[in-house]
Every structure is written in structure tokens, then in C-alpha cells.
């Protein structure tokens, strides 16, 4: 039900533009009443974002099932996504995927709603990391890295580059970004990593 209605809405939005299609028009095309539609989708933007709703707690699931260093599991998961050309990584040149991303990133109200979805992703991930301020800070860094990597891949492909032209750079960027996370966020560092040495005290003035 959800996916069918969302699919109808996205098709209309791609054909006519997000702002040119009313919720009533989507409901009629989907064969349901407007109140029923709002029962499933509280906001018009949710009709589009339902297409990626399955990814909302994906990072949290990866961490919960990892049994090891969270950043290593997340890095492997992202790299696997690049290998499969998962649309969520931005490394996908299917015309339908490109059109969807253009709709999503090219509509201000959808971008604003997307940030709300990403906040829920951060909350779920922070819980998987153990909760507390440190976990929330780590989750924010992870979600930002994933978002920026995916956007960079999508922008290059949207500009006309092929998947295979972008893939090597995408893998290298992901390796470096997750490496920075592991080295710079204590909660995400492998258990065997040694803490950074304390800064040496400046020499005393003997004059």
C-alpha cells in the first residue's frame, strides 16, 4: 500500500513537478481518499521520502549486527554498496534513479524534510552506539560522511560521468573518510588502537 501510493506520487511529481501536483491529485490517481492518504503520509514530502525510508535505520542495524568496531562495519557496508551500485551511495546511473535524486535534491521542501529523516537516522545510530552525548556526536559524524560521499558521487554522475569513471574515486574517498572517522572519533576507533599521546608541556622559562 505505502509503496504503491508513493510510486504513483513520484511518477506524477517527475512528470509535472513537485509543487505542481496536489495531494488530492495523488490520492485520486492512487484510488484512495485524501484523508486516507494523509493517514499514511502525514506530509506531502513523505510521499517521496518513503522511497528511501528503509534506509533510515540501516546504519544502526549494521552496527548492531557487527560484533566489532562500528566504523569498520560501516565502511565495509558502504563499500559493498558502491560495488552493487546501491542508489543510496549515489553511484548509480539508472535514468530513474537519477531523476529521483534530481527531484529530491532539487526541491527545497524535500531537502528540508530529508534532514528530518537524517536526524532520525542519527538518533537510531546513536542508540546502537550505546547512547549518550559521545554516541550522538559519533552518529552525527557518520551520517554526515555518508551523506557527503553519496552527494559527491551523484553530482558527478548527474554531470555526465559514467559509473566506472567515478567508482575508483568513490572507493578511495570512502576509505579515507571512514579512516578519518576511526582515527578521530574515540568511540569509533578499533579496540586495539592506542590513545594519542598527550601533548608535551612547553619548556619552562629558565631565564
Amino acid at each position: 500500500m505505502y509503496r504503491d501510493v508513493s510510486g504513483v506520487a513520484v511518477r506524477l511529481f517527475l512528470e509535472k513537478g513537485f509543487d505542481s501536483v496536489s495531494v488530492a491529485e495523488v490520492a485520486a490517481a492512487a484510488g484512495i481518499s485524501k484523508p486516507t492518504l494523509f493517514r499514511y503520509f502525514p506530509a506531502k514530502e513523505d510521499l517521496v521520502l518513503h522511497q528511501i525510508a528503509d534506509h533510515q535505520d540501516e546504519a544502526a542495524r549494521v552496527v548492531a549486527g557487527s560484533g566489532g568496531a562500528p566504523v569498520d562495519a560501516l565502511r565495509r557496508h558502504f563499500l559493498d554498496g558502491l560495488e552493487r551500485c546501491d542508489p543510496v551511495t549515489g553511484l548509480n546511473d539508472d535514468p530513474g534513479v537519477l531523476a529521483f535524486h534530481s527531484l529530491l535534491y532539487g526541491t527545497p521542501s524535500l531537502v528540508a524534510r530529508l534532514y528530518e529523516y537524517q536526524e532520525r537516522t542519527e538518533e537510531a545510530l546513536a542508540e546502537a552506539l550505546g547512547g549518550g552525548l559521545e554516541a550522538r556526536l559519533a552518529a552525527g559524524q557518520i551520517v554526515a560522511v555518508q551523506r557527503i560521499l553519496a552527494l559527491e558521487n551523484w553530482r558527478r554522475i548527474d554531470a555526465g560521468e559514467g559509473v566506472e569513471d567515478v567508482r575508483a574515486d568513490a572507493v578511495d574517498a570512502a576509505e579515507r573518510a571512514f579512516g578519518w572517522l576511526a582515527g578521530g572519533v574515540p568511540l569509533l576507533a578499533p579496540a586495539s588502537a592506542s590513545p594519542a599521546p598527550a601533548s608535551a608541556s612547553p619548556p619552562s622559562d629558565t631565564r
Side-chain angles (χ1 to χ4, degrees), residues 130-156:
L133 176 60
E134 188 175 349
R136 293 199 303 275
L137 290 170
Q141 294 295 313
I142 292 165
V143 172
V145 161
Q146 293 175 329
R147 176 180 61 83
I148 292 169
L149 289 172
L151 270 174
E152 175 65 14
N153 296 337
W154 170 72
R155 284 171 177 156
R156 289 182 61 179

Side-chain angles (χ1 to χ4, degrees), residues 2 6 9-10 13 18 38 40-53 110 113-114 116-117 120:
Y2 286 91
S6 174
V10 169
F13 296 150
F18 182 80
F38 274 124
Y40 292 110
F41 301 95
K44 181 181 176 183
E45 290 77 13
D46 293 332
L47 287 161
V48 176
L49 290 170
H50 180 75
Q51 298 289 318
I52 59 174
L110 287 174
R113 190 68 169 173
L114 178 61
E116 294 181 30
Y117 270 61
R120 291 196 284 274

